[in-house]
Amino acid sequence: MTHIQPAFDGTEIAAAAPSTARRKVDDYEAWVTEVRPVFEQIARTGQPFLCWKVAKDNDLPDPPDRDHDWGRFAATLHREGLIRTDGFGLTRDKSAVRRWRGTAAARREVAT
């Protein structure tokens, strides 16, 4: 979809439409309830993943405190033994973030 942006001299320049902001959930527990099943499913595959990429691909909402709640959530899954670290990946702006992979215990749940 394109967005027409008029230039100062009166000509029109086709530009990408402004991006729409992702939905934000204001309650942490409600947010976890909504996003956790997606991350449990990803963990069961045993494939490496980046949280931001899973959120983007599955159109997941943002948490109340976007800067801290994603890490808090990943730490909870790690403590529960569902995911483990698997190196690092990059965000869209090329900063490093932790890459995760489902544990053997998470993969065993597929068989049961």
Side-chain angles (χ1 to χ4, degrees), residues 17-77:
S19 65
T20 56
R22 282 204 321 230
R23 184 171 54 94
K24 180 180 178 182
V25 175
D26 292 327
D27 178 48
Y28 180 78
E29 285 76 23
W31 173 76
V32 169
T33 301
E34 185 170 343
V35 301
R36 185 178 176 107
V38 174
F39 283 90
E40 288 176 347
Q41 181 180 10
I42 297 291
R44 285 186 199 112
T45 68
Q47 298 298 315
F49 65 91
L50 302 171
C51 289
W52 74 267
K53 184 90 166 99
V54 171
K56 180 180 172 269
D57 292 347
N58 293 282
D59 197 29
L60 298 177
D62 279 332
D65 182 2
R66 187 173 170 220
D67 294 336
H68 300 102
D69 287 341
W70 280 109
R72 178 179 168 193
F73 175 65
T76 299
L77 295 178

Side-chain angles (χ1 to χ4, degrees), residues 46-50 84-89 97-102:
Q47 298 298 315
F49 65 91
L50 302 171
R84 64 177 176 84
T85 59
D86 187 54
F88 291 89
V97 291
R98 193 163 281 185
R99 184 174 54 220
W100 300 96
R101 182 184 296 263

